[in-house]
Amino acid sequence: MSLKVLVVDDQGLVRAGFAIVIDAEEDMTVVGEAADGTAAVRLAAELAPDVVVMDVRMPVLDGIAATRIITGRQDAPRVLVLTTFDLDSYVLDALRAGASGFLLKDVHAAELLQGIRVVATGESVLAPSATRRLIAHYASGAGSGIRAGNGPSALDSLTASQRNVLGLVASGLNNAEIADELGITVGTVKSHVNALLRKLGLRDRVQATILAYDLGLARPNPPGTHI
């Protein structure tokens, strides 16, 4: 089945360009386009896309606010934020709002398409520059503002195995690498990840990673390491 994608950008040419690139893929279909956050919120409800490609700076309602509304709904689509502005506040605000990824508009078409596929599976993607900013942010001792559904005490609900997997997720390992590290199956890793996300009230691995840093379960890696 084709991934249904909603493209949101206030610049008509940019929006059309993204739509053409995405629609050309056999496994993707652009089901709608929006020029501002308000229209994005409405179309996301009407069209039920799998992924929303979201600009940040738009009139009426900006992309961060629109993302927060969209991801707060039941059966919400994944949101991939795509912006020209590589600012600390945009990266953190997008993730706090529930975005599953953050890329810059100057990415190659192949990177954009891969990013859409990645977030559609429930995984997360961050531009290398955004990753470096997050690492620097944590290295400075600052927090993200993302918290578990019941606060830090929610960690008490995790089993030892789930805590271990959370730490490895935060270190940047994918499911196959975590399975190799722990000597378990990929299916077991997926079960642990799904369980810890549910227990902590988190949307995806990006928020799990950030929470792990916030609570001291993970430490910043050297610059250049990908989350």
Side-chain angles (χ1 to χ4, degrees):
M1 294 179 61
S2 292
L3 292 175
K4 297 184 293 183
V5 182
L6 173 63
V7 179
V8 185
D9 197 294
D10 65 332
Q11 298 183 51
L13 288 177
V14 173
R15 191 171 65 248
F18 287 150
I20 290 171
V21 169
I22 294 167
D23 233 2
E25 297 297 295
E26 292 183 357
D27 62 337
M28 298 184 193
T29 300
V30 174
V31 294
E33 300 179 30
D36 60 66
T38 299
V41 170
R42 175 176 54 81
L43 290 177
E46 292 177 359
L47 303 175
D50 299 300
V51 178
V52 179
V53 176
M54 180 77 74
D55 188 21
V56 172
R57 295 182 61 171
M58 295 182 294
V60 186
L61 186 70
D62 66 46
I64 301 299
T67 295
R68 185 173 295 109
I69 295 171
I70 290 171
T71 60
R73 293 172 171 170
Q74 190 173 12
D75 298 324
R78 300 287 172 172
V79 177
L80 176 60
V81 170
L82 203 63
T83 181
T84 304
F85 303 94
D86 184 17
L87 301 177
D88 292 353
S89 60
Y90 284 174
V91 177
L92 290 169
D93 286 350
L95 299 180
R96 290 188 190 113
S100 294
F102 186 99
L103 294 175
L104 298 180
K105 287 184 179 179
D106 61 0
V107 296
H108 295 297
E111 293 176 86
L112 168 61
L113 297 170
Q114 180 61 16
I116 292 171
R117 294 184 178 102
V118 167
V119 299
T121 65
E123 298 288 340
S124 305
V125 61
L126 289 177
S129 59
T131 301
R132 288 193 294 271
R133 287 176 180 275
L134 285 175
I135 291 171
H137 186 78
Y138 286 108
S140 71
S144 70
I146 291 177
R147 291 291 181 268
N150 298 315
S153 63
L155 285 176
D156 295 339
S157 67
L158 299 185
T159 65
S161 295
Q162 289 163 0
R163 279 178 176 249
N164 201 9
V165 168
L166 175 58
L168 293 173
V169 166
S171 72
L173 300 185
N174 60 35
N175 288 345
E177 292 167 336
I178 293 173
D180 288 341
E181 179 76 15
L182 299 179
I184 57 180
T185 67
V186 172
T188 300
V189 174
K190 289 181 179 178
S191 295
H192 285 324
V193 171
N194 289 336
L196 70 88
L197 291 178
R198 183 182 67 254
K199 288 180 178 181
L200 297 177
L202 301 174
R203 181 160 178 79
D204 53 34
R205 295 168 76 105
V206 163
Q207 289 198 336
T209 296
I210 292 174
L211 180 68
Y213 277 108
D214 276 354
L215 298 180
L217 299 179
R219 295 182 178 180
N221 292 313
T225 302
H226 291 250
I227 291 177

